Each structure stands twice: as structure tokens, then as C-alpha cells.
Amino acid sequence: MVEGVASFRRFMYQTVPKAVRAAARGALEKGADELVDYIRSLAPVDDGFLLTSIGWTWGEPPKGAIALDDISPDQDPSMRIVVYAGSELAFYASWVEFGTSKAPAHPFFWPAYRALRSRIRSRITRAINKAIRSL
């Protein structure tokens, strides 16, 4: 066996994932903050409950929230970040977003996501690449 293979494998399977995970977490949090700010800027303000119900979290969103959730089961669940809108007080978030038979739609959630998704993805990719290069 070639010399150094064991240390290379240790490096690739232990050191690299830790560095990449740390870099990705920071980039995910920054992207989530940016997205939440943009969603809040587009959200209509009536009673204020909808505006205060917009946020992000690691793991599961609050009950009654609509959420961005694009994670497959084979990915690491500890890296699951969820941006959401709505709560038990602002249960009407999806009605505002998509409209009803009596009220027109006022999209605020998905337009913000579509506007920022490539920027957020690029930030995550850059952070991961930088973490790998610095090892």
C-alpha cells in the first residue's frame, strides 16, 4: 500500500467535513438573515402578526408556518435550515401569499426566495471552497 493513504483518508473523512460544515453553517445563517430581511420588506403590514412571524431556524418550523424546505433525507439533518412565515397567530400567511376567492394574492415569500436563491447558493459555494483551500 502507498505510504500516506491512511493519513489522507483521515484528512478527507474527518478534517475536511468539519471545516466544510462550519463554513457552510456560517454562510447558511448569513443567507437566511438576508432572505428573512427581504421577505419582511415585501410582506404586507396590517396587524403586524405576519411580519413578526417571519424568521428562520435550524430544524423544524413553528406550527402553522409555510416554509422553504428543500432538503432530501440523504443529506445531513443537522444542516437543515428552514425559513418560514406564519405562526398560530399569523395562520393566514399562505392566504396572503397565494390569495383566496375573496382576496387577491400578495406574494412576498416566494418572490424573495427566487430573487436571492442564486446569491445565497453562490455564497455557500464560495464559503465551502474557501474552507477547503485553507486546509
Side-chain angles (χ1 to χ4, degrees), residues 49 53 62-65 86-92:
F49 291 131
S53 74
K63 185 179 179 184
S87 64
E88 290 182 348
L89 289 175
F91 58 89
Y92 50 85

Side-chain angles (χ1 to χ4, degrees), residues 1-13:
M1 193 156 149
V2 177
E3 222 174 283
V5 171
S7 65
F8 177 73
R9 282 191 179 151
R10 236 184 345 270
F11 173 76
M12 288 304 292
Y13 292 111

Side-chain angles (χ1 to χ4, degrees), residues 18-73:
K18 287 177 187 174
V20 167
R21 201 170 265 149
R25 279 184 85 86
L28 281 166
E29 288 177 355
K30 188 171 182 177
D33 283 335
E34 182 180 12
L35 182 57
V36 165
D37 289 343
Y38 193 42
I39 291 171
R40 284 182 179 155
S41 73
L42 296 178
V45 180
D46 187 22
D47 56 11
F49 291 131
L50 179 61
L51 199 62
T52 59
S53 74
I54 299 168
W56 68 268
T57 185
W58 292 102
E60 294 295 320
K63 185 179 179 184
I66 56 174
L68 292 176
D69 188 4
D70 191 20
I71 189 166
S72 62

